[in-house]
Amino acid sequence: MAQDNQEKVIVIDFGGQYNQLVARRVREANVYCEIYSYRTPLDQIKAMNPKGIILTGGPNSVYEEGAASAPKELFEMGIPVLGLCYGAQLMMHVLGGKVEKAPEREYGKTEILVDNTASEVFRNVPDKSIVWMSHNDYITAIADGFVVDAHTVNCPYAAVENAEKKLYAFQYHPEVLHSEYGREMLKNFVHNVCGCAGTWRMDDFAENTVKALREKIGDGKVLLALSGGVDSSVAAGLLAKAVGKNLTCVFVDHGLLRKDEGDEVEAVFGPSGQFDLNFIRVNAQERYYKKLAGVTEPEQKRKIIGEEFIRVFEEEAKKIGAVDYLAQGTIYPDVVESGLGGESATIKSHHNVGGLPEFVDFKEIVEPLRDLFKDEVRKVGLHLGIPEKLVFRQPFPGPGLGIRIIGEVTAEKVKIVQDADAIYREEIDNAGLNKTIGQYFAALTNMRSVGVMGDERTYDYAIALRAVNTVDFMTADAAEIPFEVLKKVTNRIVNEVDHVNRVFYDITSKPPGTIEME
Ligand code: GLN
């Protein structure tokens, strides 16, 4: 959200895939950063008084008719400019260099050799390192006044600069982690070239966002569907600080939450919690169980849970009447997932509350976390004083335990899986593994088998434990939890949870398995 009188760097979006990563790296260098479309009038950019400007990559070719462009004046304002990939090509194109289709398209990790070791942007960067390339065009002639900073085998002008005018151009993408020293290079640009002090912190984001929300919303009324997940909780915290009682949070307890979760959310956001807001908890457990009775097909279960959520929320929204804003905890990866973002953006509702906008009478959507990545959201959450337990909560699907109970969902089964899962999480914590495993949970298989307990025959359920490590949640491997830990969890579950006499550990990877079981 916009901030005043602050050292900032502006990222100009040409439709590249990694634009938010550029902004993120700048923030990591402790400099505030905002992204604007290349269509933004130059006067408007100038008025923001940026310390530097970064031009992103993009799908066009600069020499094509109608390609996304920038006026020459952009490079003549005395503001440092760094062009990345398309941005680099554009800088050369506009300033009199030449860009053509490359004989050899470069994609992936490429070795770069530094020619100008005195360059400010290559400070603390070794002469040889790996950068990430993704281009079909390349610069064949550089503009007057520029010198070569670095090259690769296929790319004579991998990095060029005009130090006097503070103009820099990289053909590669320093923002992606495959570029070994990319972070360093971007930091060098914002600190050494732009002269930013680097005093900005995520805490400032929180404070400034609160201020900006207050200005934007004024006396307006805001409605938020609070799920108890990190994102909606942090959004609620920011909005509560900004507009207090003008924020109403509706928290639907669908009876498919983890053990004690409903109460934990209420403890933080309810009347005796630390925030000043209107908190409505709807205890809709019975309604959900009734709807789910007899339903075993996973997709149908998901559908019922999703639709029922909309119904419940709609009823509450009707009681409140028209609101000015519908708030959502959308974070940047959601924006990307929806295939939106940046240049082509039209706001889409957050998948967790998908469909809500159609049922609520409101004027505008507010999404205070739209530019942030998950770990940044967590930092804001901690700054707001939201308990760690909530801030570092395990990812939890919208349909909740409904899809961690194979087959029909009943109140009894919910209790079983809640208790087993609580034990599992507690023991993972005790073993100090909670931050090393990507995601872990207990599920209730629909299988019953014979066992013996206290000399008596039992015929009870089997719990499945799942734990996976994953980088992107697209693929995953089973986590290698020490056998001792698994044994302890198993012992506790069969001893402490009624109607469970067997525990399995799921070692299937994704694919062919999925992370959740339904
Ligand atoms: N479209 C340009 C090219 O192919 C720029 C690509 C990019 O910015 N990643 O070279």
Side-chain angles (χ1 to χ4, degrees):
M1 293 236 136
Q3 337 234 322
D4 306 326
N5 307 325
Q6 176 150 49
E7 201 174 72
K8 75 175 91 156
V9 164
I10 300 285
V11 172
I12 299 188
D13 179 1
F14 288 93
Q17 295 171 60
Y18 314 116
N19 300 349
Q20 268 297 336
L21 279 177
V22 178
R24 183 197 169 110
R25 300 288 168 245
V26 174
R27 293 200 289 262
E28 280 173 355
N30 300 114
V31 173
Y32 183 67
C33 177
E34 283 179 2
I35 304 183
Y36 289 90
S37 159
Y38 73 91
R39 293 173 221 267
T40 312
L42 194 55
D43 285 348
Q44 202 179 316
I45 303 273
K46 227 162 134 183
M48 294 181 237
N49 197 19
K51 298 280 280 184
I53 294 174
I54 301 178
L55 313 179
T56 74
N60 296 156
S61 288
V62 288
Y63 47 79
E64 270 168 8
E65 187 77 33
S69 194
K72 196 165 178 211
E73 203 198 329
L74 174 75
F75 306 101
E76 295 169 342
M77 305 189 294
I79 300 172
V81 183
L82 168 64
L84 306 178
C85 203
Y86 185 81
Q89 297 166 358
L90 186 65
M91 186 187 293
M92 290 303 106
H93 180 73
V94 171
L95 296 178
K98 197 164 175 55
V99 176
E100 293 174 90
K101 189 163 180 52
E104 208 83 50
R105 146 179 195 274
E106 270 187 312
Y107 186 81
K109 292 184 184 176
T110 310
E111 189 176 68
I112 191 178
L113 299 154
V114 178
D115 302 298
N116 177 12
T117 49
S119 169
E120 283 297 346
V121 287
F122 287 96
R123 247 199 241 176
N124 300 321
V125 175
D127 294 351
K128 239 192 223 180
S129 69
I130 298 296
V131 295
W132 181 259
M133 287 284 193
S134 169
H135 64 124
N136 300 309
D137 300 331
Y138 75 145
I139 299 162
T140 49
I142 54 178
D144 279 350
F146 280 79
V147 299
V148 182
D149 282 342
H151 68 276
T152 72
V153 175
N154 292 321
C155 188
Y157 307 120
V160 301
E161 71 173 50
N162 180 337
E164 198 196 314
K165 298 208 162 126
K166 302 198 175 194
L167 302 178
Y168 294 79
F170 298 165
Q171 179 58 70
Y172 49 90
H173 290 276
E175 68 275 24
V176 303
L177 287 178
H178 300 304
S179 293
E180 288 177 307
Y181 290 86
R183 220 184 264 241
E184 205 65 36
M185 296 172 196
L186 286 168
K187 188 170 150 200
N188 283 340
F189 176 71
V190 295
H191 289 186
N192 307 344
V193 178
C194 302
C196 294
T199 51
W200 183 82
R201 296 288 179 276
M202 220 50 217
D203 293 359
D204 300 343
F205 174 91
E207 294 311 320
N208 289 311
T209 301
V210 167
K211 228 175 86 197
L213 286 169
R214 195 175 291 143
E215 274 161 27
K216 180 187 167 97
I217 297 168
D219 291 331
K221 298 253 178 287
V222 190
L223 181 62
L224 171 79
L226 183 66
S227 71
V230 195
D231 306 340
S232 66
S233 296
V234 173
L238 287 170
L239 285 158
K241 287 215 155 176
V243 301
K245 287 265 188 300
N246 278 335
L247 168 69
T248 300
C249 286
V250 175
F251 170 60
V252 179
D253 187 340
H254 51 23
L256 303 166
L257 298 169
R258 285 168 294 190
K259 191 174 183 177
D260 300 330
E261 207 157 60
D263 296 340
E264 282 165 18
V265 172
E266 183 166 347
V268 177
F269 294 100
S272 52
Q274 71 217 72
F275 295 103
D276 181 33
L277 56 91
N278 265 322
F279 176 81
I280 300 176
R281 174 175 178 172
V282 190
N283 288 314
Q285 292 92 328
E286 292 312 319
R287 259 178 91 152
Y288 275 86
Y289 297 155
K290 228 185 235 158
K291 285 264 172 193
L292 287 166
V295 183
T296 55
E297 208 278 313
E299 276 311 301
Q300 208 187 337
K301 280 169 32 179
R302 281 178 181 268
K303 213 172 139 219
I304 291 173
I305 297 167
E307 279 174 2
E308 199 55 18
F309 178 80
I310 291 178
R311 289 286 92 73
V312 175
F313 194 85
E314 188 184 9
E315 282 167 27
E316 291 308 316
K318 278 215 178 98
K319 287 184 206 159
I320 298 163
V323 294
D324 301 286
Y325 298 93
L326 179 68
Q328 299 192 330
T330 318
I331 68 170
Y332 184 66
D334 301 326
V335 177
V336 178
E337 243 170 52
S338 328
L340 303 169
E343 250 308 288
S344 56
T346 29
I347 295 170
K348 185 180 165 181
S349 58
H350 188 207
H351 51 81
N352 277 345
V353 287
L356 272 189
E358 288 171 41
F359 296 90
V360 179
D361 190 4
F362 71 99
K363 288 193 212 121
E364 208 184 310
I365 288 185
V366 275
E367 298 174 304
L369 307 175
R370 200 181 153 82
D371 295 332
L372 302 189
F373 289 83
K374 198 73 157 191
D375 56 320
E376 295 178 319
V377 173
R378 293 202 165 109
K379 280 188 193 151
V380 175
L382 291 177
H383 173 76
L384 291 172
I386 297 173
E388 277 208 27
K389 197 166 178 182
L390 231 160
V391 167
F392 289 97
R393 208 177 87 133
Q394 277 279 301
F396 192 59
L401 298 179
I403 56 163
R404 289 181 182 172
I405 294 169
I406 313 227
E408 188 189 7
V409 175
T410 63
E412 184 198 35
K413 286 183 180 173
V414 168
K415 170 103 175 65
I416 293 174
V417 76
Q418 276 178 339
D419 289 344
D421 184 66
I423 291 170
Y424 186 30
R425 281 186 289 136
E426 195 181 310
E427 289 304 329
I428 292 286
D429 278 356
N430 289 343
L433 296 171
N434 55 335
K435 293 218 170 119
T436 65
I437 305 174
Q439 192 176 351
Y440 51 96
F441 58 88
L444 183 63
T445 70
N446 202 25
M447 186 202 97
R448 297 173 102 180
S449 66
V450 175
V452 54
M453 224 182 263
D455 287 338
E456 255 182 73
R457 179 186 189 273
T458 58
Y459 183 61
D460 277 329
Y461 287 112
I463 281 283
L465 303 177
R466 183 93 168 119
V468 296
N469 283 318
T470 171
V471 180
D472 50 11
F473 291 93
M474 299 303 286
T475 60
D477 273 317
E480 293 189 26
I481 297 181
F483 201 58
E484 283 310 312
V485 178
L486 288 174
K487 275 205 300 204
K488 180 137 191 236
V489 176
T490 303
N491 264 328
R492 282 197 56 198
I493 291 176
V494 291
N495 283 324
E496 296 172 35
V497 185
D498 285 342
H499 306 298
V500 176
N501 65 358
R502 216 174 271 276
V503 175
F504 295 116
Y505 185 56
D506 182 355
I507 56 171
T508 321
S509 60
K510 172 185 178 176
T514 50
I515 296 176
E516 297 288 345
M517 291 196 189
E518 282 197 337

